[in-house]
Amino acid sequence: DVKVTQSSRYLVKRTGEKVFLECVQDMDHENMFWYRQDPGLGLRLIYFSYDVKMKEKGDIPEGYSVSREKKERFSLILESASTNQTSMYLCASSLSSGQGRQPQHFGDGTRLSIL
Amino acid sequence: AQSVTQPDIHITVSEGASLELRCNYSYGATPYLFWYVQSPGQGLQLLLKYFSGDTLVQGIKGFEAEFKRSQSSFNLRKPSVHWSDAAEYFCAVGLYSSASKIIFGSGTRLSIRP
């Protein structure tokens, strides 16, 4: 079974801090994704990566950056945290073959609160 | 533009009753379709997927879904729900892209009445 592990289940940070969310997958997947989930808005894609050191912006990249130095690890960075970034953050991974047929496998999420 | 609509924000059904969750998509070609479930405090788990062939697909936990091209729908069904089915359900469409991006609906929250 695919295992996607997010380093923290709950995180509390202060406004203006630099925040790192870490995600590791163990199935050698090429693609990795970061979403945020807010009530009534579903999942919104922040960034995704299709290879090491490769990244693309999703639908809501403002205020975020990402890093993928190794295939198994994908980090989400909040450069200067703000209260409107309080949310549930979900990491996912998938294989790249099949042009859209591949399901994404999700971690359990990090509930981030910015005070 | 591609989109996924789940018209029901919240549904309550009695335990043992049948269930149908609605999903409509907008996509230019035959879509790749998924249903995911999210239990409270958890990530999303894949229930089932449709790519081609038989339009009725079976998934885990006793769920099934039917693809109807004429209605652009992919509704999720279960003949008899259990209290453990209480969760949020997301319909999604996979995009033809090298990065296997998926567009998710806004979700339907399912509550079970004892």
PDB file of all heavy atoms in Angstrom, chain A residues 19 38 44 58 67-68 80:
ATOM      1  N   VAL A  19       6.866  28.925   7.838  1.00  0.00           N
ATOM      2  CA  VAL A  19       6.334  27.620   8.245  1.00  0.00           C
ATOM      3  C   VAL A  19       6.670  26.579   7.185  1.00  0.00           C
ATOM      4  O   VAL A  19       6.512  26.835   5.983  1.00  0.00           O
ATOM      5  CB  VAL A  19       4.806  27.684   8.426  1.00  0.00           C
ATOM      6  CG1 VAL A  19       4.246  26.313   8.853  1.00  0.00           C
ATOM      7  CG2 VAL A  19       4.421  28.751   9.453  1.00  0.00           C
ATOM      8  N   ASP A  38     -10.748  23.839   2.710  1.00  0.00           N
ATOM      9  CA  ASP A  38     -11.536  24.723   3.550  1.00  0.00           C
ATOM     10  C   ASP A  38     -13.013  24.387   3.384  1.00  0.00           C
ATOM     11  O   ASP A  38     -13.452  24.004   2.290  1.00  0.00           O
ATOM     12  CB  ASP A  38     -11.289  26.187   3.155  1.00  0.00           C
ATOM     13  CG  ASP A  38      -9.837  26.574   3.290  1.00  0.00           C
ATOM     14  OD1 ASP A  38      -9.388  26.710   4.447  1.00  0.00           O
ATOM     15  OD2 ASP A  38      -9.142  26.728   2.260  1.00  0.00           O
ATOM     16  N   ARG A  44      -8.308  22.696  -2.989  1.00  0.00           N
ATOM     17  CA  ARG A  44      -7.729  23.621  -3.970  1.00  0.00           C
ATOM     18  C   ARG A  44      -6.234  23.349  -4.068  1.00  0.00           C
ATOM     19  O   ARG A  44      -5.536  23.282  -3.063  1.00  0.00           O
ATOM     20  CB  ARG A  44      -7.999  25.067  -3.549  1.00  0.00           C
ATOM     21  CG  ARG A  44      -9.481  25.441  -3.609  1.00  0.00           C
ATOM     22  CD  ARG A  44      -9.697  26.883  -3.213  1.00  0.00           C
ATOM     23  NE  ARG A  44      -9.443  27.089  -1.795  1.00  0.00           N
ATOM     24  CZ  ARG A  44      -9.329  28.279  -1.230  1.00  0.00           C
ATOM     25  NH1 ARG A  44      -9.438  29.382  -1.971  1.00  0.00           N
ATOM     26  NH2 ARG A  44      -9.117  28.375   0.067  1.00  0.00           N
ATOM     27  N   GLY A  58      -0.279  25.784  -8.832  1.00  0.00           N
ATOM     28  CA  GLY A  58      -1.647  25.335  -8.955  1.00  0.00           C
ATOM     29  C   GLY A  58      -2.584  26.523  -9.039  1.00  0.00           C
ATOM     30  O   GLY A  58      -2.249  27.551  -9.625  1.00  0.00           O
ATOM     31  N   SER A  67       9.412  22.935  -2.267  1.00  0.00           N
ATOM     32  CA  SER A  67      10.752  22.432  -2.513  1.00  0.00           C
ATOM     33  C   SER A  67      10.675  20.927  -2.702  1.00  0.00           C
ATOM     34  O   SER A  67      10.024  20.229  -1.919  1.00  0.00           O
ATOM     35  CB  SER A  67      11.667  22.752  -1.336  1.00  0.00           C
ATOM     36  OG  SER A  67      12.923  22.117  -1.470  1.00  0.00           O
ATOM     37  N   ARG A  68      11.364  20.456  -3.735  1.00  0.00           N
ATOM     38  CA  ARG A  68      11.451  19.012  -3.944  1.00  0.00           C
ATOM     39  C   ARG A  68      12.889  18.681  -4.352  1.00  0.00           C
ATOM     40  O   ARG A  68      13.247  18.663  -5.516  1.00  0.00           O
ATOM     41  CB  ARG A  68      10.465  18.529  -4.995  1.00  0.00           C
ATOM     42  CG  ARG A  68      10.358  16.999  -4.990  1.00  0.00           C
ATOM     43  CD  ARG A  68       9.153  16.528  -5.694  1.00  0.00           C
ATOM     44  NE  ARG A  68       9.026  15.088  -5.675  1.00  0.00           N
ATOM     45  CZ  ARG A  68       8.371  14.398  -6.577  1.00  0.00           C
ATOM     46  NH1 ARG A  68       7.760  15.020  -7.585  1.00  0.00           N
ATOM     47  NH2 ARG A  68       8.274  13.088  -6.496  1.00  0.00           N
ATOM     48  N   SER A  80       5.672  33.839   4.948  1.00  0.00           N
ATOM     49  CA  SER A  80       5.348  34.711   6.070  1.00  0.00           C
ATOM     50  C   SER A  80       3.885  34.450   6.407  1.00  0.00           C
ATOM     51  O   SER A  80       2.981  34.989   5.764  1.00  0.00           O
ATOM     52  CB  SER A  80       5.575  36.176   5.689  1.00  0.00           C
ATOM     53  OG  SER A  80       5.191  37.019   6.754  1.00  0.00           O
TER      54      SER A  80
END
